[in-house]
Amino acid sequence: MADKEKKQKRRTIKNIAKERTAMPEQPPLIRATNFEEVALGYTEENAVREAQRCILCPKPRCRNGCPVDIDITGFIAKIDEKDYRAAYDILSDATLLPAICGRVCPQEDQCEGVCAIGKKLEPVAIGRLERWIGDMAIENNWFQVPEITPNGKKIAIVGSGPAGLACAADMAKAGCDVTIFEALHKPGGVLRYGIPEFRLPNYVIDAELANLEKLGVKIECNVLVGRLFTIEQLRTEMGYDAVFIGVGAGYPTFMGIPGESLNGVLSANELLTRCNLMHAADESYDTPLGIGNKIAVIGSGNTAMDAMRVSLRVGAEHVYCVYRRTREESPARVEEIHHAIEEGVDFHWLTTPLEILDDGEGRVRAMRCIKNELGEPDDSGRRRPVPIEGSEFEFEVDRVVYAIGTNANPVIGQTSDIEMNKWGYIDTDETLHTSIEGVFAGGDIVTGAATVILAMGAGRKAAEGMKVYLGLEDSEEDAKAE
Amino acid sequence: MYEIVAREDFSDQTFLLEVRHPMLAKAAQAGQFVITQSHEHGERIPLTIADFSKENGTITLVIQAVGKTTKEMQADCQVGASLFAMVGPMGIPSHISEDVKKVVLVGGGLGVAPIFPQLRAFKEKGAYVIAIIGFRNKELIFWDDKYKQYCDEYIVCTDDGSAGIHGLVTQGIEQVISKHDDIDELIAIGPPIMMKFCAETTRPHQLKTIVSLNPLMVDGTGMCGGCRVKVGGKMKFGCVEGPDFDGHQVDFDELMNRLGRFKADEKIALENWQKHRENCRLMNTEPEE
């Protein structure tokens, strides 16, 4: 009888809501004038409705799509049962940062991208559910320190971005004495300086970092590893049993076209750091912003979208996106482009900058560009932009912001003998161990610029390798052999 | 927080702070800089390390009060107070080569103090050290004894002739070059216009000239790119690829233009701060009267 009831209740693709539950948002023209969050988050009703769209596959593919291996159907089932606290406990087994990941992960390429119902219907809004539980946990202070048995091992983590935080959490849970070193005066790395307040509020970062500290992780800011002490010194005279390097790939690139040294040309990193870390738009802070009226942002990735949307919020009259391909080839998340268009960014697709023009006093006056058409696919599989002869045009701008990608940070390479490839990314084996014994690396400094969640995944993977290295855990192969 | 343990005022504009940071004092090398932030709402500003003492665990900064941030530091950074943030040592240390047997060190303006660590390092390596130090006038001279202690020749230049050579440091350079034909290297630190003319003075003599650049920057770790400078036609980041560069290759005109990037904002910030300061002063004194 009980079995029969269960069977009747079982959800299938045929009996669930067809459309995903919409995310409440601030109206575009209002939000483009403030730094409040764009996506307001689900209500309980929204969340339960969305949770009930999950058919709880017995062999869920979503979990494999998650770089940090969250038991997704497990936590969603708990939302359905309205046992939200239990949902949080399942989440926090895999991630200490659900309120962050729920906001910034590209779920459409990961868990939601492989969701079983996604073939016919819109996939379950896993990210929105994760955020909802994460937010509730912050509000109700649900985080509980698990029982940790100290093992006497000292771990140093270099960089407090997503890779370092994920590695720190796992090592602290394993009983290690973990210290994170951060060069800036506030922790969080790209979460802090890169992602704007309206996508990821600082209070969320602070709350989730506080949980890490509750695990016993120490965070030391204002420490530039490599220069204050080296990676080698951490392992030798400073007595750390293992080190994780997660310094990212934050070195901004420019195109090498004429006019890049003019005042008014800057990297998206600089714009975002001034705004997010230094609060330049807030009058009570001293750092100047120097934003202009007409701003061209080169590139169409997530950083470009952030730079454009920040520019609108600090009062730019007109914000252009200049991208050599089309919307379809843009590396940014669909949602981000959609938001930027809604907020009034003017997109120049199929446009390549040729030169930035001087106003005669060393400042930007205008930009000269050329139009492209799409040719044959290139190595990336995307159709190559081909310049159209004679299509050059000029348009007036007073700021040009570069968001065309970043390279490896050079400081660790300059100050240590660690092996790197020719682009300055650190070489590792499959356990993320580097050429220096006991030193692991992961995230953008190994792979090149990627996403927050992939960096977190790398941090967790390095933690696994570290535990094996320290003899705290058998390697997977050894475990299988037994 | 980083405690200020000593302070000395050289003039109404220039002051010295000695800040406790034993690890930094241990790691610092000649030619490197720190980024400081005097309070949580303050700017991050790069300052070249003027001295460091491993024994005392302190580093010394010499600051010229010219804008809002530095004038505020001049007013607030007293002994016993603390800096909100100080990170470093940043930048690639100066190359103090044993092959350099005779070296000229030129300091002017805000560069007078930061040239000192290199001067001492060269002396300790056994080089013959000539220092050319420029001030506006005799009253502004500081660290006289400190320089003399490490110099084989010590030449002061003043704009008004109140001490030493009446003229610019470039005149000192000409004089030294005419006297010595075996100088291996010249290092100049000061305002960009001074470094530019130092480089122009040595160019015809093909004398290797190193300058230490101090462009605008935010993080100092290679992340913002605000500090980019053109050297030999190539873009370099002052923070992680500098601060030392070949003076004959640096595009100083571009550097000077870029240093003026926030001129308008800086002027407003200073005026607002001075107004605010004046108001506070009035508010405080009124009740007593």
Side-chain angles (χ1 to χ4, degrees), chain A residues 16 18 29 31 46 78-79 81 116 119 124 191 217 223 232 307 326 385 391 399 410 432 448:
Chain A
I16 56 169
K18 303 262 173 294
L29 296 179
R31 72 185 189 228
N46 291 153
K78 291 297 173 193
I79 297 178
E81 291 166 21
K119 282 184 194 159
V124 177
L191 304 170
V217 173
V223 176
E232 283 85 347
T326 74
S391 67
R399 290 291 180 281
L432 300 185

PDB file of all heavy atoms in Angstrom, chain A residues 16 18 29 31 46 78-79 81 116 119 124 191 217 223 232 307 326 385 391 399 410 432 448:
ATOM      1  N   ILE A  16       5.076  17.440 -14.043  1.00  0.00           N
ATOM      2  CA  ILE A  16       5.662  18.579 -13.317  1.00  0.00           C
ATOM      3  C   ILE A  16       5.373  19.892 -14.055  1.00  0.00           C
ATOM      4  O   ILE A  16       4.972  19.870 -15.219  1.00  0.00           O
ATOM      5  CB  ILE A  16       7.202  18.429 -13.167  1.00  0.00           C
ATOM      6  CG1 ILE A  16       7.848  18.258 -14.548  1.00  0.00           C
ATOM      7  CG2 ILE A  16       7.550  17.281 -12.233  1.00  0.00           C
ATOM      8  CD1 ILE A  16       9.351  18.370 -14.522  1.00  0.00           C
ATOM      9  N   LYS A  18       5.823  22.923 -16.269  1.00  0.00           N
ATOM     10  CA  LYS A  18       6.636  22.994 -17.493  1.00  0.00           C
ATOM     11  C   LYS A  18       7.726  24.081 -17.384  1.00  0.00           C
ATOM     12  O   LYS A  18       8.847  23.893 -17.814  1.00  0.00           O
ATOM     13  CB  LYS A  18       5.767  23.338 -18.700  1.00  0.00           C
ATOM     14  CG  LYS A  18       4.626  22.361 -18.923  1.00  0.00           C
ATOM     15  CD  LYS A  18       4.997  21.332 -19.979  1.00  0.00           C
ATOM     16  CE  LYS A  18       3.950  20.247 -20.097  1.00  0.00           C
ATOM     17  NZ  LYS A  18       3.809  19.368 -18.904  1.00  0.00           N
ATOM     18  N   LEU A  29      15.383  49.572 -15.359  1.00  0.00           N
ATOM     19  CA  LEU A  29      15.770  50.983 -15.359  1.00  0.00           C
ATOM     20  C   LEU A  29      15.966  51.531 -13.950  1.00  0.00           C
ATOM     21  O   LEU A  29      16.679  52.501 -13.744  1.00  0.00           O
ATOM     22  CB  LEU A  29      14.768  51.815 -16.156  1.00  0.00           C
ATOM     23  CG  LEU A  29      14.760  51.424 -17.650  1.00  0.00           C
ATOM     24  CD1 LEU A  29      13.760  52.237 -18.439  1.00  0.00           C
ATOM     25  CD2 LEU A  29      16.164  51.528 -18.285  1.00  0.00           C
ATOM     26  N   ARG A  31      17.139  49.414 -11.390  1.00  0.00           N
ATOM     27  CA  ARG A  31      18.358  48.782 -10.857  1.00  0.00           C
ATOM     28  C   ARG A  31      19.626  49.352 -11.490  1.00  0.00           C
ATOM     29  O   ARG A  31      20.680  49.362 -10.876  1.00  0.00           O
ATOM     30  CB  ARG A  31      18.306  47.266 -11.054  1.00  0.00           C
ATOM     31  CG  ARG A  31      18.484  46.818 -12.493  1.00  0.00           C
ATOM     32  CD  ARG A  31      18.303  45.338 -12.634  1.00  0.00           C
ATOM     33  NE  ARG A  31      18.680  44.914 -13.960  1.00  0.00           N
ATOM     34  CZ  ARG A  31      17.945  44.128 -14.731  1.00  0.00           C
ATOM     35  NH1 ARG A  31      16.776  43.693 -14.320  1.00  0.00           N
ATOM     36  NH2 ARG A  31      18.386  43.786 -15.928  1.00  0.00           N
ATOM     37  N   ASN A  46       8.141  30.124  -4.030  1.00  0.00           N
ATOM     38  CA  ASN A  46       8.894  29.932  -5.277  1.00  0.00           C
ATOM     39  C   ASN A  46       9.784  28.698  -5.172  1.00  0.00           C
ATOM     40  O   ASN A  46       9.828  27.866  -6.077  1.00  0.00           O
ATOM     41  CB  ASN A  46       9.848  31.112  -5.544  1.00  0.00           C
ATOM     42  CG  ASN A  46       9.149  32.415  -5.879  1.00  0.00           C
ATOM     43  OD1 ASN A  46       9.703  33.481  -5.634  1.00  0.00           O
ATOM     44  ND2 ASN A  46       7.962  32.347  -6.444  1.00  0.00           N
ATOM     45  N   LYS A  78      15.060  17.655   0.155  1.00  0.00           N
ATOM     46  CA  LYS A  78      14.814  18.222   1.492  1.00  0.00           C
ATOM     47  C   LYS A  78      14.020  19.521   1.400  1.00  0.00           C
ATOM     48  O   LYS A  78      13.216  19.828   2.290  1.00  0.00           O
ATOM     49  CB  LYS A  78      16.145  18.464   2.227  1.00  0.00           C
ATOM     50  CG  LYS A  78      16.858  17.186   2.622  1.00  0.00           C
ATOM     51  CD  LYS A  78      16.039  16.375   3.615  1.00  0.00           C
ATOM     52  CE  LYS A  78      16.700  15.017   3.856  1.00  0.00           C
ATOM     53  NZ  LYS A  78      15.779  14.079   4.557  1.00  0.00           N
ATOM     54  N   ILE A  79      14.215  20.294   0.344  1.00  0.00           N
ATOM     55  CA  ILE A  79      13.407  21.510   0.187  1.00  0.00           C
ATOM     56  C   ILE A  79      11.941  21.105  -0.025  1.00  0.00           C
ATOM     57  O   ILE A  79      11.034  21.660   0.586  1.00  0.00           O
ATOM     58  CB  ILE A  79      13.886  22.369  -1.009  1.00  0.00           C
ATOM     59  CG1 ILE A  79      15.321  22.851  -0.778  1.00  0.00           C
ATOM     60  CG2 ILE A  79      12.950  23.571  -1.223  1.00  0.00           C
ATOM     61  CD1 ILE A  79      15.903  23.680  -1.935  1.00  0.00           C
ATOM     62  N   GLU A  81      10.538  18.536   1.054  1.00  0.00           N
ATOM     63  CA  GLU A  81       9.997  18.101   2.358  1.00  0.00           C
ATOM     64  C   GLU A  81       9.905  19.257   3.347  1.00  0.00           C
ATOM     65  O   GLU A  81       9.536  19.076   4.490  1.00  0.00           O
ATOM     66  CB  GLU A  81      10.909  17.016   2.955  1.00  0.00           C
ATOM     67  CG  GLU A  81      10.875  15.699   2.205  1.00  0.00           C
ATOM     68  CD  GLU A  81      12.032  14.778   2.630  1.00  0.00           C
ATOM     69  OE1 GLU A  81      12.599  14.963   3.738  1.00  0.00           O
ATOM     70  OE2 GLU A  81      12.389  13.885   1.826  1.00  0.00           O
ATOM     71  N   ALA A 116      18.038  16.146 -16.307  1.00  0.00           N
ATOM     72  CA  ALA A 116      17.278  15.196 -17.137  1.00  0.00           C
ATOM     73  C   ALA A 116      16.054  15.836 -17.776  1.00  0.00           C
ATOM     74  O   ALA A 116      15.723  15.551 -18.925  1.00  0.00           O
ATOM     75  CB  ALA A 116      16.873  13.994 -16.295  1.00  0.00           C
ATOM     76  N   LYS A 119      16.026  18.224 -21.319  1.00  0.00           N
ATOM     77  CA  LYS A 119      15.932  17.858 -22.733  1.00  0.00           C
ATOM     78  C   LYS A 119      14.625  18.333 -23.346  1.00  0.00           C
ATOM     79  O   LYS A 119      14.573  18.691 -24.515  1.00  0.00           O
ATOM     80  CB  LYS A 119      16.029  16.332 -22.868  1.00  0.00           C
ATOM     81  CG  LYS A 119      17.430  15.806 -22.757  1.00  0.00           C
ATOM     82  CD  LYS A 119      17.441  14.314 -23.006  1.00  0.00           C
ATOM     83  CE  LYS A 119      18.766  13.719 -22.572  1.00  0.00           C
ATOM     84  NZ  LYS A 119      18.640  12.282 -22.325  1.00  0.00           N
ATOM     85  N   VAL A 124      15.620  22.234 -14.029  1.00  0.00           N
ATOM     86  CA  VAL A 124      15.353  22.708 -12.669  1.00  0.00           C
ATOM     87  C   VAL A 124      16.320  23.858 -12.351  1.00  0.00           C
ATOM     88  O   VAL A 124      17.503  23.784 -12.686  1.00  0.00           O
ATOM     89  CB  VAL A 124      15.543  21.559 -11.654  1.00  0.00           C
ATOM     90  CG1 VAL A 124      15.330  22.058 -10.230  1.00  0.00           C
ATOM     91  CG2 VAL A 124      14.616  20.404 -11.980  1.00  0.00           C
ATOM     92  N   LEU A 191      36.109  37.350  -5.841  1.00  0.00           N
ATOM     93  CA  LEU A 191      34.741  37.503  -5.336  1.00  0.00           C
ATOM     94  C   LEU A 191      34.560  38.906  -4.779  1.00  0.00           C
ATOM     95  O   LEU A 191      33.487  39.489  -4.855  1.00  0.00           O
ATOM     96  CB  LEU A 191      34.467  36.491  -4.220  1.00  0.00           C
ATOM     97  CG  LEU A 191      34.685  35.011  -4.538  1.00  0.00           C
ATOM     98  CD1 LEU A 191      34.599  34.172  -3.281  1.00  0.00           C
ATOM     99  CD2 LEU A 191      33.639  34.548  -5.554  1.00  0.00           C
ATOM    100  N   VAL A 217      39.987  28.389  10.366  1.00  0.00           N
ATOM    101  CA  VAL A 217      40.882  28.916   9.336  1.00  0.00           C
ATOM    102  C   VAL A 217      41.254  30.364   9.677  1.00  0.00           C
ATOM    103  O   VAL A 217      40.388  31.167  10.000  1.00  0.00           O
ATOM    104  CB  VAL A 217      40.196  28.865   7.941  1.00  0.00           C
ATOM    105  CG1 VAL A 217      41.057  29.562   6.902  1.00  0.00           C
ATOM    106  CG2 VAL A 217      39.909  27.429   7.547  1.00  0.00           C
ATOM    107  N   VAL A 223      49.445  40.367   2.934  1.00  0.00           N
ATOM    108  CA  VAL A 223      50.639  39.525   2.806  1.00  0.00           C
ATOM    109  C   VAL A 223      50.816  39.144   1.334  1.00  0.00           C
ATOM    110  O   VAL A 223      49.996  38.419   0.773  1.00  0.00           O
ATOM    111  CB  VAL A 223      50.520  38.240   3.658  1.00  0.00           C
ATOM    112  CG1 VAL A 223      51.729  37.340   3.414  1.00  0.00           C
ATOM    113  CG2 VAL A 223      50.392  38.587   5.136  1.00  0.00           C
ATOM    114  N   GLU A 232      59.005  28.630  -1.134  1.00  0.00           N
ATOM    115  CA  GLU A 232      60.002  27.720  -0.555  1.00  0.00           C
ATOM    116  C   GLU A 232      60.145  27.954   0.952  1.00  0.00           C
ATOM    117  O   GLU A 232      60.228  26.999   1.729  1.00  0.00           O
ATOM    118  CB  GLU A 232      61.360  27.912  -1.258  1.00  0.00           C
ATOM    119  CG  GLU A 232      61.448  27.259  -2.642  1.00  0.00           C
ATOM    120  CD  GLU A 232      60.911  28.120  -3.792  1.00  0.00           C
ATOM    121  OE1 GLU A 232      60.236  29.140  -3.536  1.00  0.00           O
ATOM    122  OE2 GLU A 232      61.168  27.765  -4.959  1.00  0.00           O
ATOM    123  N   ALA A 307      31.673  45.214 -16.041  1.00  0.00           N
ATOM    124  CA  ALA A 307      32.242  46.555 -16.215  1.00  0.00           C
ATOM    125  C   ALA A 307      31.193  47.509 -16.801  1.00  0.00           C
ATOM    126  O   ALA A 307      31.076  48.662 -16.385  1.00  0.00           O
ATOM    127  CB  ALA A 307      33.466  46.494 -17.124  1.00  0.00           C
ATOM    128  N   THR A 326      29.613  37.963 -32.563  1.00  0.00           N
ATOM    129  CA  THR A 326      28.214  38.318 -32.305  1.00  0.00           C
ATOM    130  C   THR A 326      27.780  37.845 -30.921  1.00  0.00           C
ATOM    131  O   THR A 326      28.549  37.188 -30.207  1.00  0.00           O
ATOM    132  CB  THR A 326      27.259  37.675 -33.329  1.00  0.00           C
ATOM    133  OG1 THR A 326      27.151  36.279 -33.022  1.00  0.00           O
ATOM    134  CG2 THR A 326      27.767  37.846 -34.753  1.00  0.00           C
ATOM    135  N   PRO A 385      35.774  36.213 -37.079  1.00  0.00           N
ATOM    136  CA  PRO A 385      35.386  37.528 -37.596  1.00  0.00           C
ATOM    137  C   PRO A 385      36.358  37.986 -38.687  1.00  0.00           C
ATOM    138  O   PRO A 385      37.568  37.910 -38.508  1.00  0.00           O
ATOM    139  CB  PRO A 385      35.483  38.437 -36.374  1.00  0.00           C
ATOM    140  CG  PRO A 385      36.368  37.737 -35.424  1.00  0.00           C
ATOM    141  CD  PRO A 385      36.412  36.275 -35.773  1.00  0.00           C
ATOM    142  N   SER A 391      35.009  49.567 -44.031  1.00  0.00           N
ATOM    143  CA  SER A 391      33.892  49.784 -43.094  1.00  0.00           C
ATOM    144  C   SER A 391      34.333  50.505 -41.821  1.00  0.00           C
ATOM    145  O   SER A 391      33.634  50.505 -40.825  1.00  0.00           O
ATOM    146  CB  SER A 391      33.268  48.441 -42.734  1.00  0.00           C
ATOM    147  OG  SER A 391      34.194  47.673 -41.973  1.00  0.00           O
ATOM    148  N   ARG A 399      35.945  57.079 -22.303  1.00  0.00           N
ATOM    149  CA  ARG A 399      36.607  56.005 -21.556  1.00  0.00           C
ATOM    150  C   ARG A 399      36.593  54.748 -22.416  1.00  0.00           C
ATOM    151  O   ARG A 399      35.601  54.467 -23.091  1.00  0.00           O
ATOM    152  CB  ARG A 399      35.858  55.669 -20.260  1.00  0.00           C
ATOM    153  CG  ARG A 399      35.921  56.727 -19.177  1.00  0.00           C
ATOM    154  CD  ARG A 399      37.293  56.885 -18.579  1.00  0.00           C
ATOM    155  NE  ARG A 399      37.295  57.916 -17.548  1.00  0.00           N
ATOM    156  CZ  ARG A 399      37.325  59.226 -17.780  1.00  0.00           C
ATOM    157  NH1 ARG A 399      37.350  59.688 -19.010  1.00  0.00           N
ATOM    158  NH2 ARG A 399      37.333  60.087 -16.791  1.00  0.00           N
ATOM    159  N   PRO A 410      52.448  37.137 -12.349  1.00  0.00           N
ATOM    160  CA  PRO A 410      53.859  36.729 -12.453  1.00  0.00           C
ATOM    161  C   PRO A 410      54.614  36.604 -11.130  1.00  0.00           C
ATOM    162  O   PRO A 410      55.734  36.089 -11.127  1.00  0.00           O
ATOM    163  CB  PRO A 410      54.473  37.868 -13.280  1.00  0.00           C
ATOM    164  CG  PRO A 410      53.650  39.071 -12.958  1.00  0.00           C
ATOM    165  CD  PRO A 410      52.249  38.559 -12.675  1.00  0.00           C
ATOM    166  N   LEU A 432      47.274  17.718  -8.701  1.00  0.00           N
ATOM    167  CA  LEU A 432      47.532  19.166  -8.561  1.00  0.00           C
ATOM    168  C   LEU A 432      48.774  19.464  -7.725  1.00  0.00           C
ATOM    169  O   LEU A 432      48.955  20.569  -7.220  1.00  0.00           O
ATOM    170  CB  LEU A 432      46.308  19.929  -8.041  1.00  0.00           C
ATOM    171  CG  LEU A 432      45.060  19.839  -8.941  1.00  0.00           C
ATOM    172  CD1 LEU A 432      43.939  20.734  -8.403  1.00  0.00           C
ATOM    173  CD2 LEU A 432      45.364  20.243 -10.384  1.00  0.00           C
ATOM    174  N   GLY A 448      44.479  28.770 -16.486  1.00  0.00           N
ATOM    175  CA  GLY A 448      44.140  29.988 -17.211  1.00  0.00           C
ATOM    176  C   GLY A 448      42.749  30.412 -16.765  1.00  0.00           C
ATOM    177  O   GLY A 448      42.023  29.632 -16.138  1.00  0.00           O
TER     178      GLY A 448
END
